[in-house]
């Protein structure tokens, strides 16, 4: 009983440390020791021959508490959906721990932890790409509140942060295990190397990269544009899809913009599903809310507008029908989308982009053929519910030769490598349109805002963020939040943002660290099941 009390205590300790390290609390140094108790659980269970089932149990407790501690606010949207998300994500997080545990038993080496690091990177790689993706708790996201510490994300993406956290935890764990076997001088030397080269060196590198980047900017003549982000502050539960008409919502939004307009504004962004009422994409110019937008633009002929909307499109005879298509009573097939529209002052055609990275369980039912029965637990994290249609690739809109905004809709801003696809297609500015009001006044919308800093550093692009109920604002290309609105207050913010046409190393190469982790995990996995290859030590 005493052993199990110790193990449960270690489980809770890891969960507590990770939760306190996560934004918005953000005591980030705790992340560098958070996995040490979990590694001790792995070590003690092998040492005392307690059995793998106990590792799974205590690992599950750790990650369940971590998921609840950091994303409990999902409960505000759907209690049943939140429970499913917490449990499934915790079970998935146990897999890298189970992998290293089985490998350690086979090799009789419970202190060999590099395979855990590679397995975790592989887990995050798959979690970005499979049908049930929920990447909110990717470890590298933890540093979103401290952009000054991670300027090297322009080379590594968030996987670099994940690798840093796990690498330091591994070294601290080994230092603790070997403490009693070393003399005082060796302990000090090892601790100094750990602190200086593994903790401080990446931070110093971040300062160096930031200084070099700022020096480069100082010597360059940067092209800028003045952008306005509008926050209409419409209750998503009562007003947006119920009590307030689409016409009145659009009028309110345009009145806020009008009250803050000046002749320098070139681009206005409205939030996700700003235009409601299922706009017909075949007849957009006849939609009442679109007529209002165009009337506003007639008064301001030099302004482009990027706005979220919920829309649908009928399939014409002979057109390929999507898997998510629905049917009207007359048999006509159509698809429903979470959409971004772009209206240009120089082009009568309306640009259209359909959200690609959909929220599992609300905008898309994962594994629909198997999990149809759980559809009633859908989590409201977007705007339009049900299985939506998508665009296979991101779109970039063009206001002029330099102003090319990327329409990033809500959940898509969590996917670093996906956002790089906008930049590869010429985006000079990232525009995030979102509706975070589903979660209420909780850490959810604050975390979502902070994640925009990661995308800014990875791509070296300014971010203009328009949210329905907060937080709207701007993030510069060093990841600093330069302006932000208050929660639950109608607002319009303006800022002159610099445009960038260069591509960072991460934009060009994507999640190569995760791919490397995947390859090494496969190497260890082959050794685990065949006895081949496991005697070679890639670290």
């Amino acid at each position: 009983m005493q052993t199990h009390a110790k193990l449960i205590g270690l489980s809770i300790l890891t969960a507590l440390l990770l939760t306190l390290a996560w934004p918005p609390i953000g005591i980030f140094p705790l992340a560098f020791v958070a996995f040490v108790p979990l590694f001790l659980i792995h070590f003690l269970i092998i040492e005392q021959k307690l059995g793998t089932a106990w590792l799974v149990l205590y690992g599950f407790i750790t990650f369940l508490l971590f998921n609840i501690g950091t994303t409990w606010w999902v409960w505000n949207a759907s209690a049943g959906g939140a429970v499913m998300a917490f449990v499934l994500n915790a079970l998935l997080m146990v897999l890298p721990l189970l992998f290293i545990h089985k490998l350690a038993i086979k090799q009789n080496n419970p202190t060999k932890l590099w395979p855990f690091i590679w397995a975790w990177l592989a887990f995050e790689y798959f979690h970005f790409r499979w049908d049930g993706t929920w990447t909110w708790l990717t470890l590298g996201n933890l540093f979103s509140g401290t952009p000054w510490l991670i300027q090297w994300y322009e080379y590594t993406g968030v996987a670099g942060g994940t690798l840093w956290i796990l690498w330091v935890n591994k070294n601290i764990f080994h230092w603790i295990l070997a403490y009693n076997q070393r003399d005082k001088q060796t302990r000090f030397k090892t601790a100094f190397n750990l602190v200086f080269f593994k903790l401080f060196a990446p931070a110093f590198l971040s300062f160096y990269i930031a200084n070099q980047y700022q020096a480069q900017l100082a010597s360059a003549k940067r092209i800028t544009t003045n952008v306005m982000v509008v926050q209409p502050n419409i209750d998503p539960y009562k007003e947006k899809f119920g009590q307030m008409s689409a016409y009145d919502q659009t009028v309110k939004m345009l009145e806020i913009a009008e009250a803050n307009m000046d002749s320098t504004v070139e681009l206005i962004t409205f939030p996700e599903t700003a235009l409601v009422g299922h706009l017909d994409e075949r007849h957009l110019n006849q939609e009442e809310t679109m007529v209002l937008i165009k009337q506003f633009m007639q008064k301001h002929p030099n302004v482009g507008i990027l706005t979220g909307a919920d829309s649908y499109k009928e399939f014409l005879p002979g057109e390929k029908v999507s898997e998510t298509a629905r049917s009207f009573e007359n048999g006509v097939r159509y698809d429903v989308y979470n959409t971004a529209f772009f209206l240009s002052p120089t082009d009568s055609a309306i640009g259209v982009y359909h959200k690609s990275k959909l929220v599992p369980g609300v905008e898309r039912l994962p594994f629909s053929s198997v999990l149809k029965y759980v559809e009633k637990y859908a989590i409201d994290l977007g705007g339009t519910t049900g299985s939506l249609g998508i665009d296979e690739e991101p779109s970039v809109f063009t206001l002029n030769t330099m102003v090319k905004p990327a329409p990033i809709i809500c959940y898509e801003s969590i996917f670093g490598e996906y956002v790089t696809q906008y930049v590869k297609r010429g985006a000079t500015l990232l525009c995030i349109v979102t509706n975070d009001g589903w979660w209420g006044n909780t850490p959810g919308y604050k975390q979502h805002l902070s994640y925009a800093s990661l995308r800014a550093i990875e791509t070296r692009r300014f971010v203009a963020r328009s949210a329905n109920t907060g937080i709207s604002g701007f993030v510069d290309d060093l990841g600093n939040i330069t302006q932000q609105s208050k929660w639950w207050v109608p607002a319009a913010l303006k800022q002159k943002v610099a445009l960038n046409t260069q591509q960072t190393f991460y934009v060009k190469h994507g999640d190569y660290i995760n791919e490397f982790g995947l390859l090494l995990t496969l190497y260890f996995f082959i050794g685990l099941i065949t006895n081949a290859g496991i005697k070679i030590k890639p670290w």
Side-chain angles (χ1 to χ4, degrees), residues 155 417 420 424 504-513 515:
Y155 296 97
E417 190 173 58
T420 68
K424 289 180 179 178
T504 64
F505 186 91
Y506 178 69
V507 168
K508 293 176 182 177
H509 300 284
D511 291 329
Y512 64 93
I513 291 178
E515 292 168 357

Side-chain angles (χ1 to χ4, degrees), residues 23 34 95 110 138 242 279 352 377 408 421 495:
L95 293 179
T138 299
L279 279 68
V352 179
Y377 297 120
I408 303 168
Q421 300 305 310
Q495 184 166 314

Side-chain angles (χ1 to χ4, degrees), residues 85-248:
F86 299 154
V87 172
L88 290 176
N89 209 41
L91 287 172
L92 290 171
M93 288 178 167
V94 170
L95 293 179
L97 186 64
L98 179 61
F99 173 77
I100 182 60
H101 194 71
K102 288 291 188 182
L103 192 64
I105 292 173
K106 187 163 189 175
Q107 293 186 312
N108 193 28
N109 186 0
T111 65
K112 186 176 181 181
L113 295 177
W114 271 114
F116 173 82
I117 297 176
W118 305 132
W120 190 279
L121 288 166
F123 150 70
E124 290 190 349
Y125 177 86
F126 278 115
H127 216 12
F128 274 104
R129 290 164 175 82
W130 74 307
D131 221 29
T133 179
W134 175 241
T135 59
W136 203 271
L137 296 181
T138 299
L139 287 181
N141 290 348
L142 184 145
F143 298 113
S144 61
T146 54
W148 53 270
L149 194 63
I150 50 165
Q151 292 299 310
W152 35 268
Y153 271 25
E154 72 165 284
Y155 296 97
T156 69
V158 294
T162 297
L163 179 59
W164 189 24
I165 290 170
L166 296 178
W167 181 43
V168 173
N169 272 275
K170 178 191 83 73
N171 281 275
I172 291 177
F173 171 72
H174 285 151
W175 185 82
I176 293 172
L177 284 185
Y179 184 85
N180 291 327
Q181 301 170 12
R182 293 171 174 168
D183 57 41
K184 185 179 294 186
Q185 184 177 0
T186 304
R187 290 174 194 164
F188 176 80
K189 181 179 178 181
T190 306
F192 177 82
N193 289 337
L194 172 60
V195 171
F196 185 81
F197 291 105
K198 297 178 175 68
L199 271 176
F200 287 171
F204 292 148
L205 178 62
S206 181
F207 283 115
Y208 174 78
I209 291 173
N211 288 334
Q212 290 293 106
Y213 184 68
Q214 289 174 310
Q216 178 186 346
L217 296 181
S219 63
K221 186 176 181 181
R222 307 191 76 185
I223 297 175
T224 61
T225 188
N226 202 13
V227 180
M228 176 192 293
V229 295
V230 175
Q231 179 173 298
N233 196 57
I234 297 171
D235 190 315
Y237 287 107
K238 297 179 180 179
E239 296 176 323
K240 175 158 282 293
F241 302 102
Q243 297 174 2
M244 193 173 186
S245 70
Y247 179 90
D248 289 341

Side-chain angles (χ1 to χ4, degrees), residues 455-469:
R455 307 291 87 82
I457 296 171
E458 289 167 348
T459 63
R460 293 302 182 194
R461 296 294 189 273
F462 272 71
V463 177
R465 190 176 195 272
S466 178
N468 174 39
T469 55

